[in-house]
Amino acid sequence: MTTPPIPRLRAERAERLRAARHRRAIGYWWVLIAWLLSLWIGTSVVPHDWLHAPALFGHLASVIVGLGAAVLLEMSGLLWMLRRTSLDDMRRTEPPVTALAWLGIAGLLVTGAFLQPDLSQPLTAIKMIAVLVAAMNGVAMTRLTDELDRLPGAVRFSSLPARLKLWCVWSAVVSQTAWWTAVLIGMLNTASR
């Protein structure tokens, strides 16, 4: 078996990168459209009273699932940073936990639409932006995941280029900040009703 010539490998890699960029662009658009649709429904549709309790329960369940997944993903990355696990361990954790994070985001958008968010309240607007940031960061992290997938499974975090280390830390900080902002504001809004 012969190895493919270098130009063909470069062309295949360029095509994979183009396809990944295309998937991310579609992901960004889907997130934005779903977020706007959730806001539109939440501000223009008055749901029946009986729907409030199930929507609130679904919203809280979505917070638990999404935040729990985000914490688990970032904890997995932190353990890799601290040399407690390997990159391969983190890779095994990432796909199912990422699916749970997206389930949490989707649940927040669907159920939040039926909780009639009051966007005239600054805290509610900040919460909605935090949910958008968490979702957009999730899409952006697919590029980081692609970069990490190209590395050997035994590579240590400390041996990564500075750019890649900063990218990992930045993505985790943005994720946790967005999720916890949404959770704390949601808690304050619920407590004040």
Side-chain angles (χ1 to χ4, degrees):
M1 182 170 174
T2 62
T3 56
I6 297 297
R8 187 169 136 211
L9 288 174
R10 285 188 183 136
E12 288 172 1
R13 182 171 189 272
E15 179 57 28
R16 280 195 312 273
L17 291 174
R18 188 200 64 74
R21 276 194 309 271
H22 183 72
R23 282 190 304 275
R24 271 192 307 281
I26 290 171
Y28 288 128
W29 278 109
W30 272 110
V31 163
L32 185 60
I33 290 167
W35 183 77
L36 290 171
L37 183 62
S38 178
L39 289 178
W40 177 76
I41 291 170
T43 56
S44 60
V45 173
V46 178
H48 291 286
D49 289 338
W50 62 266
L51 190 56
H52 183 77
L56 184 58
F57 177 80
H59 204 68
L60 293 173
S62 298
V63 167
I64 291 166
V65 169
L67 177 62
V71 168
L72 183 57
L73 279 172
E74 272 81 64
M75 182 56 102
S76 177
L78 181 61
L79 290 173
W80 175 49
M81 273 177 66
L82 298 173
R83 298 182 182 182
R84 303 277 188 233
T85 62
S86 68
L87 179 58
D88 271 343
D89 292 333
M90 193 172 75
R91 284 180 186 150
R92 281 189 290 278
T93 303
E94 188 266 333
V97 175
T98 297
L100 287 174
W102 281 112
L103 182 65
I105 290 283
L108 287 175
L109 294 176
V110 169
T111 58
F114 298 103
L115 294 176
Q116 295 182 293
D118 183 2
L119 297 179
S120 67
Q121 296 295 319
L123 282 179
T124 302
I126 292 169
K127 177 190 174 191
M128 299 307 293
I129 290 169
V131 170
L132 177 64
V133 167
M136 290 292 197
N137 187 59
V139 175
M141 286 179 83
T142 61
R143 183 169 178 211
L144 175 58
T145 301
D146 290 346
E147 290 284 328
L148 294 175
D149 282 345
R150 287 199 262 296
L151 299 173
V155 71
R156 292 184 185 260
F157 181 83
S158 58
S159 65
L160 296 180
R163 175 191 69 85
L164 199 51
K165 284 192 268 192
L166 181 61
W167 190 0
C168 290
V169 171
W170 175 253
S171 292
V173 167
V174 168
S175 173
Q176 290 300 304
T177 302
W179 274 103
W180 283 105
T181 298
V183 167
L184 292 173
I185 292 174
M187 183 186 75
L188 290 173
N189 281 347
T190 303
S192 67
R193 286 188 182 180

